[in-house]
Amino acid sequence: MLRDLHDDVGSALAGVSAHLELAGRVMRSDIDRASDMIDELRVITSDLVTTVRRMSARHRLRHCVGASHRWARPVGMTCFADALRNMIGRMQAIFRGRLEITLNLGDGLDEVPEEVSLPAFSIVKEALTNVLRHSRAEHCLVSVWVDEENLHIQVQDDGIGVTTATSTRRAGVGGSGLANMTERAAEMGGWCTIGQAIPSGTVALAALPLAGAQRRRPARPA
């Protein structure tokens, strides 16, 4: 429940805060765009209310029947690939002019099991939130693909890179940031790292074993 609050509600609220800040600046020069951003903010907050209600219902159900519904599919998430497209499309609409996000999806993602796609979605969302909050990047590339055994994630930006200060902020304290991404991956028998990109910026990498491949932990990059 606490991790869901961080992943779903915390990230959404961070986006709302950044959205409001940007809308305030835009309003001085482009009232029409600012109005569009406020309309988008209404959609985001409406989705957030739906998310909180879903989490509350899931929590009550756990206590009532003692069953784990941890991997219940989020409202509107028809498949993993569509969920990524929708999330990034919405971010692009909000932050156009500040950050360009490119999404590169490999084949076979619609066949990724739900128990793998949900933590993977959270990792991508957390990584993008970190880019928006800390990187000062202009471009970000999100790549997601599968091989025979693993689901792979790469989120790379062209920002200021990993310094002592940004590394500390991105890693977070008490289960947030990188720590939360790492825990999500580790629970699935995978891994997640963040480091300096070449030639500049930051890159987050993750690999999660697909169903049936849990016994073999994916190799980390050298």
Side-chain angles (χ1 to χ4, degrees):
M1 182 68 173
L2 290 177
R3 179 173 292 161
D4 288 340
L5 282 171
H6 175 272
D7 288 352
D8 295 335
V9 180
S11 295
L13 288 175
V16 167
S17 177
H19 190 174
L20 285 170
E21 179 183 350
L22 184 59
R25 294 200 302 267
V26 169
M27 189 174 293
R28 303 186 186 100
S29 58
D30 190 342
I31 191 67
D32 290 334
R33 184 184 174 192
S35 178
D36 290 341
M37 294 176 69
I38 291 172
D39 288 340
E40 180 65 26
L41 185 58
R42 292 192 185 98
V43 175
I44 294 172
T45 53
S46 177
D47 287 350
L48 183 56
V49 170
T50 299
T51 297
V52 171
R53 288 174 176 167
R54 169 177 55 82
M55 290 170 56
S56 177
R58 185 192 304 174
H59 185 67
R60 289 196 303 270
L61 187 59
R62 282 176 180 167
H63 283 276
C64 288
V65 301
S68 174
H69 294 269
R70 176 178 186 178
W71 303 115
R73 187 178 296 276
V75 175
M77 186 172 175
T78 56
C79 73
F80 181 42
D82 285 346
L84 290 173
R85 292 189 190 99
N86 291 340
M87 175 179 65
I88 291 176
R90 182 164 293 173
M91 286 183 172
Q92 285 280 60
I94 296 172
F95 296 104
R96 67 181 185 272
R98 174 183 167 187
L99 177 69
E100 178 184 350
I101 306 173
T102 301
L103 178 61
N104 183 12
L105 297 178
D107 296 331
L109 293 178
D110 291 349
E111 304 302 319
V112 173
E114 190 171 274
E115 64 269 21
V116 179
S117 66
L118 286 174
F121 181 85
S122 294
I123 289 170
V124 173
K125 181 168 66 172
E126 182 68 50
L128 285 173
T129 299
N130 286 340
V131 172
L132 286 165
R133 297 172 76 178
H134 305 303
S135 73
R136 305 180 198 171
E138 295 182 356
H139 303 91
C140 180
L141 173 62
V142 178
S143 301
V144 184
W145 71 97
V146 295
D147 57 24
E148 292 183 357
E149 295 185 338
N150 304 302
L151 169 67
H152 298 271
I153 298 167
Q154 178 173 326
V155 180
Q156 183 166 338
D157 66 64
D158 62 353
I160 60 176
V162 180
T163 65
T164 300
T166 57
S167 178
T168 300
R169 287 198 301 270
R170 287 185 181 206
V173 178
S176 62
L178 175 60
N180 194 67
M181 294 162 63
T182 302
E183 289 171 7
R184 285 284 191 184
E187 286 179 352
M188 300 304 300
W191 53 264
C192 179
T193 64
I194 187 169
Q196 190 75 28
I198 298 174
S200 64
T202 303
V203 58
L205 298 169
L208 307 179
L210 299 170
Q214 298 283 0
R215 292 184 300 274
R216 183 172 179 179
R217 189 177 183 87
R220 291 175 179 263

